Structure formats: structure tokens, C-alpha cells
């Protein structure tokens, strides 16, 4: 049974690592997305950092990306930025790629 136990532990370790990486990727992506939106709204550097943290926190409201998209769409619209859900989803996809690149590069 030792071989089976070793394999089970290896799978559990890999699962835990994969889940941590998914969390880190989503958090990094949301921060980048928040900084992107902050630039569109014309926020200062300090305000942009605070806003990016708010976007990261918004992702904990529900599973999936809809909570983040709703927040960004509402905030950008309130700030007078001409945008729509499709543009935000496109930015989300682009920031996902950038977040992956940054995590691989160790930034």
C-alpha cells in the first residue's frame, strides 16, 4: 500500500499546487484589470492601486468572473468611460495572458 499512498499524496500535492496557482493567476489578473480600468478612469497612481485591490476583493463575491465584470462595468460607466461588457471581457482575456506571463517569469 505504500506505493498507492505515495501516489495519493502526490496527486493531492499536485491538486493543491494547481489550485494555488489558479488563485494566484486570478488575483494577478484582477489586479492588472483594476489597473487597466483605473487608467481609463484617470485615477492617480495611489488611487489606481487602491482600486485594483477593490477589484481583487470583488472577485470573492461569487464564483466566476461575473462579479468582477459587473464591478468594472458599473465603475467605468459611472466614471463616464464609454465601454461595454464585450470590451471588459476582451481586457479580461488580455490580462489573463499577461498574468500567466508574469507568473511564469516570476514577476
Amino acid at each position: 500500500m505504500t506505493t498507492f499512498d505515495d501516489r495519493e499524496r502526490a496527486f493531492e500535492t499536485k491538486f493543491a499546487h494547481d489550485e494555488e496557482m489558479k488563485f494566484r493567476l486570478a488575483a494577478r489578473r484582477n489586479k492588472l484589470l483594476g489597473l487597466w480600468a483605473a487608467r481609463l478612469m484617470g485615477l492617480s497612481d495611489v488611487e489606481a492601486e487602491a482600486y485594483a485591490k477593490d477589484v481583487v476583493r470583488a472577485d470573492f463575491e461569487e464564483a466566476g468572473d461575473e462579479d468582477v465584470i459587473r464591478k468594472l462595468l458599473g465603475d467605468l460607466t459611472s466614471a463616464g468611460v464609454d465601454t461595454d461588457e464585450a470590451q471588459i471581457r476582451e481586457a479580461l482575456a488580455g490580462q489573463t495572458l499577461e498574468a500567466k506571463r508574469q507568473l511564469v517569469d516570476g514577476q
Side-chain angles (χ1 to χ4, degrees):
M1 282 298 215
T2 305
T3 302
F4 179 76
D5 292 340
D6 289 345
R7 287 188 69 193
E8 184 178 20
R9 269 194 296 279
F11 282 123
E12 288 172 357
T13 300
K14 182 182 180 333
F15 178 79
H17 177 266
D18 291 348
E19 289 299 305
E20 178 185 352
M21 290 306 290
K22 285 189 334 191
F23 175 80
R24 291 177 65 204
L25 177 64
R28 175 77 55 107
R29 181 218 44 207
N30 291 339
K31 179 179 180 183
L32 293 171
L33 200 57
L35 292 173
W36 167 81
R39 281 191 300 277
L40 292 177
M41 292 186 283
L43 301 180
S44 71
D45 290 345
V46 172
E47 293 169 325
E49 283 295 324
Y51 182 75
K53 288 178 184 176
D54 285 344
V55 173
V56 171
R57 281 191 290 275
D59 195 25
F60 297 120
E61 291 178 15
E62 64 186 53
D65 298 329
E66 298 308 310
D67 45 0
V68 173
I69 292 168
R70 261 193 321 274
K71 175 175 180 42
L72 291 171
L73 185 58
D75 292 348
L76 288 168
T77 302
S78 293
V81 176
D82 184 29
T83 191
D84 60 16
E85 189 175 323
Q87 184 180 7
I88 293 171
R89 288 186 185 279
E90 184 178 315
L92 187 124
Q95 298 304 342
T96 299
L97 294 174
E98 177 59 20
K100 284 180 185 177
R101 186 194 65 73
Q102 287 182 7
L103 286 175
V104 168
D105 290 348
Q107 294 181 348

